[in-house]
Amino acid sequence: MEWKLEQLFENDEAAIENARVQLEEVKRIASEIERENAPERLAKLIRDFEEHMDEFAKSIQYAWMRYSIDTESAESQKVLGVIQQLASQVHEQDAIVEVKLAALDDSALEEVIKFDDNYEHLIRRIIERRKHLLSKDAEQVLALTSVSRRDGIAKIHSRLESSYTFELEVDGEKKVLTVEEIKALRRSTNSDLRKRAMRVFFERFKEDSIVMTEVYNLVVKDYDTESRLRRFPKPISMMNFANEVSDEVVDRLIAVTNEKTEILRKYYDWKSKMLGEKLTLADVYAPISNKKREFTFEEARDIILESYYAFDEKAGSVVEGFFKEERIDLYPRKGKVSGAYCIYSTTKLPPYVLTNFTNNMYDVMTLAHELGHGLHGMLSRKQTFFNHDTPLTLAELASVFGEFLVFDNLKRKLSKEEKMALIASKIEDIFATTFRQNMFTNFEIRAHELISKNGYAGWDELSGIYHEELERVFGNVVEIPEWYNHEWSSIPHIYETPFYVYAYNFAQCLVIALYQKYLEEGKAFVGKYLQLLESGGRHSPEELLEKVGIDVSKEGFWENAFEFVDGLVEELIGMGNEQ
């Protein structure tokens, strides 16, 4: 189960040549759009422009996939570098088109919508963005320099991390482990091994503290400078705007999550008693049973497919296509990026999934998560390029929903002890996507404020902020080893996409509401849900969610999600008390 990149392009040269050809077409059409004012002709040109942007995105997808599975190869670095450079020129043309359309009056834009209503949401967003757009020249400069600004700088972090290997004694044998393999030891049944593994992991980042700190400061300064230039009230507002969600809704989500940490503390207090030891942060993912359940890839595949097919035949068939067509790169190896993701940069290619599968229960859920993204990406291909993708607030919707499908299916197949382990794992996963991501968001807000105020934040200052946020979440229920204060430097999203992480919390709470509707409505819900995924980003998140009866601004919405989580915790504690 490894990607076969020749399914995308015959070789690197073909991917680069495609990018160059499409760039020239994008330039030609952008030039025409600049000179055109007739709404009917503009609608036709936008459609042509979009088509070539979509074709160009095939090369982007290839370059990122090529790099992800072999970050240390000079060839993969070169391909990504060349195509990113070409992409900056494509972004320049996109900026020219946006500035041109934004300069038209509302009546002219309404006429464009009449000729092609496929672009209604796109044009309404351009109208909203007017107050944040800069001059044509300024937008071109930002687009052209994107490859050498924060996007390029953040690559230093990912390249460093993916090059790391760790020497560790495991079961009396000295092993050399990748990032994913050492992180998997957080779920070991051996308490001493968990702590040694995490200490070695985080101290490796400290060894590169100068680079990590400098890179992070540069990313923050670049992001915050752009945010100020675009006249956003605070740095996170720029991401909120891109996510089509108000500052007020995000602020409320952050506040409610901060208020509900007693749920997490109650769980870890119970877990400490179950394990008979004072937990440290290295132990928060420790299995509650010494009987470690492992899953072969075949078992994981069968469980996931059974879960999706039980939900809907079409959904099951789409997910099965990833296995049949080998669109999954499964196992960890040196040079491969850590973590997991699903990529669908274009409607011209199907989505592909990358994981670092190490055979534990968590990996089954991770694979289910990424295949949920894959389902979303496949269904939204019916939209055109500008409409097929969603804001981050909805991007995690199908992935988290897919996890719930597999979770409920797995529960029915396990013994009581295994079922308790699964529920514990699910609770910890929910904590990871709510309280943990919210902690990252709190850290980012404070780090950006400090760097903006002082012009720089040092390693110790950033680690100090992170320690305070750890204490805010865990209190004194879990011991915080000194080396865990460096964890912030290992979080890729805060480097690659500032303020991305709250989207996980947003999506987790949103999906809890959606899944409760599914449990209430049964098959009547399925059609509405699949239609939501098929809509991609053609409409605003508010409009899309309204069709399935969801309103995130409603009083008590976020609180209801945490009541559901608290119910899971109480269910598990009750099962434990019965033993």
Side-chain angles (χ1 to χ4, degrees), residues 8-9 15 18-19 22-23 26 49-65 83 87 90-91 343-350 385 388:
L8 284 73
F9 286 100
N18 175 70
Q22 301 309 321
L23 171 60
V26 165
F49 184 76
E50 176 188 47
E51 176 68 16
H52 290 287
M53 291 277 284
D54 202 358
E55 288 288 347
F56 183 90
K58 287 167 60 178
S59 294
I60 294 175
Q61 181 159 325
Y62 174 89
W64 273 112
M65 290 171 64
I83 291 177
V90 169
H91 294 324
I343 187 167
Y344 49 101
S345 307
T346 168
T347 69
K348 304 293 185 181
L349 294 171
F385 177 68
H388 90 290

Side-chain angles (χ1 to χ4, degrees), residues 89-105:
Q89 296 179 59
V90 169
H91 294 324
E92 177 195 9
Q93 302 307 309
D94 195 29
I96 289 170
V97 170
E98 183 169 10
V99 170
K100 159 68 180 186
L101 294 176
L104 296 174
D105 61 39

Side-chain angles (χ1 to χ4, degrees), residues 292-482:
K292 188 178 177 183
R293 175 69 186 269
E294 294 203 335
F295 295 83
T296 65
F297 164 63
E298 291 75 19
E299 287 174 321
R301 176 196 62 202
D302 292 347
I303 289 165
I304 289 168
L305 289 180
E306 182 181 63
S307 305
Y308 275 100
Y309 270 115
F311 175 71
D312 178 73
E313 188 74 19
K314 179 181 179 181
S317 177
V318 169
V319 171
E320 188 170 13
F322 283 83
F323 297 98
K324 285 183 174 179
E325 297 166 22
E326 297 185 326
R327 286 187 279 118
I328 302 170
D329 198 288
L330 193 70
Y331 294 107
R333 55 189 181 274
K334 190 174 183 299
K336 180 177 173 179
V337 294
S338 62
Y341 73 77
C342 175
I343 187 167
Y344 49 101
S345 307
T346 168
T347 69
K348 304 293 185 181
L349 294 171
Y352 284 74
V353 162
L354 177 145
T355 68
N356 282 273
F357 193 80
T358 55
N359 301 99
N360 61 44
M361 194 179 291
Y362 176 79
D363 292 330
V364 179
M365 302 305 289
T366 298
L367 185 54
H369 177 103
E370 298 306 334
L371 287 167
H373 280 306
L375 174 65
H376 200 168
M378 283 295 288
L379 294 181
S380 67
R381 285 178 78 196
K382 71 182 294 183
Q383 301 297 331
T384 61
F385 177 68
F386 287 150
N387 288 335
H388 90 290
D389 211 358
T390 63
L392 291 176
T393 41
L394 297 188
E396 296 296 328
L397 186 152
S399 54
V400 179
F401 194 93
E403 284 188 66
F404 271 108
L405 292 175
V406 175
F407 171 70
D408 273 352
N409 185 22
L410 255 180
K411 275 203 300 187
R412 294 190 287 268
K413 299 177 181 295
L414 303 175
S415 66
K416 181 179 178 181
E417 187 176 1
E418 290 172 337
K419 183 178 177 182
M420 285 182 65
L422 175 67
I423 296 173
S425 178
K426 184 61 178 174
I427 288 169
E428 289 163 11
D429 186 48
I430 292 174
F431 287 170
T433 51
T434 53
F435 296 114
R436 180 174 164 82
Q437 303 300 329
N438 196 63
M439 178 177 70
F440 296 163
T441 304
N442 287 326
F443 168 82
E444 283 193 276
I445 291 169
R446 294 181 61 189
H448 281 246
E449 286 175 352
L450 181 63
I451 292 169
S452 177
K453 178 183 175 184
N454 296 341
Y456 185 82
W459 174 266
D460 290 338
E461 289 177 295
L462 293 167
S463 296
I465 292 173
Y466 194 75
H467 177 81
E468 290 170 8
E469 291 306 324
L470 286 168
E471 284 189 322
R472 188 213 295 253
V473 174
F474 291 97
N476 59 4
V477 173
V478 173
E479 185 183 322
I480 303 170
E482 185 274 334

Side-chain angles (χ1 to χ4, degrees), residues 174-376:
K174 282 207 168 183
K175 293 189 174 182
V176 178
L177 305 172
T178 65
V179 168
E180 286 303 319
E181 287 170 333
I182 199 164
K183 283 164 67 177
L185 295 177
R186 293 176 299 178
R187 293 177 169 79
S188 168
T189 57
N190 183 324
S191 175
D192 176 63
L193 179 59
R194 292 193 298 266
K195 294 173 178 62
R196 285 191 293 113
M198 288 300 95
R199 181 167 193 155
V200 167
F201 180 65
F202 291 126
E203 287 186 344
R204 182 66 185 86
F205 285 85
K206 188 178 181 181
E207 289 174 24
D208 287 322
S209 61
I210 293 174
V211 176
M212 296 297 181
T213 306
E214 293 299 322
V215 168
Y216 187 62
N217 273 268
L218 286 170
V219 166
V220 169
K221 287 177 183 178
D222 181 85
Y223 178 91
D224 289 2
T225 299
E226 183 176 341
S227 174
R228 285 195 298 274
L229 286 172
R230 295 193 181 283
R231 299 176 292 281
F232 284 101
K234 51 189 178 180
I236 197 173
S237 303
M238 187 159 74
M239 179 57 81
N240 295 345
F241 184 80
N243 285 336
E244 300 182 53
V245 62
S246 70
D247 284 358
E248 292 72 25
V249 166
V250 174
D251 289 348
R252 183 62 187 151
L253 169 65
I254 293 169
V256 170
T257 310
N258 286 336
E259 290 164 9
K260 296 297 182 179
T261 53
E262 75 276 0
I263 299 171
L264 175 142
R265 296 181 189 184
K266 175 170 61 176
Y267 170 78
Y268 282 116
D269 182 57
W270 171 83
K271 185 172 182 176
S272 292
K273 292 168 184 169
M274 278 290 292
L275 295 182
E277 63 174 293
K278 173 78 171 181
L279 296 182
T280 73
L281 280 173
D283 306 311
V284 295
Y285 299 113
I288 61 172
S289 169
N290 285 328
K291 293 180 181 176
K292 188 178 177 183
R293 175 69 186 269
E294 294 203 335
F295 295 83
T296 65
F297 164 63
E298 291 75 19
E299 287 174 321
R301 176 196 62 202
D302 292 347
I303 289 165
I304 289 168
L305 289 180
E306 182 181 63
S307 305
Y308 275 100
Y309 270 115
F311 175 71
D312 178 73
E313 188 74 19
K314 179 181 179 181
S317 177
V318 169
V319 171
E320 188 170 13
F322 283 83
F323 297 98
K324 285 183 174 179
E325 297 166 22
E326 297 185 326
R327 286 187 279 118
I328 302 170
D329 198 288
L330 193 70
Y331 294 107
R333 55 189 181 274
K334 190 174 183 299
K336 180 177 173 179
V337 294
S338 62
Y341 73 77
C342 175
I343 187 167
Y344 49 101
S345 307
T346 168
T347 69
K348 304 293 185 181
L349 294 171
Y352 284 74
V353 162
L354 177 145
T355 68
N356 282 273
F357 193 80
T358 55
N359 301 99
N360 61 44
M361 194 179 291
Y362 176 79
D363 292 330
V364 179
M365 302 305 289
T366 298
L367 185 54
H369 177 103
E370 298 306 334
L371 287 167
H373 280 306
L375 174 65
H376 200 168

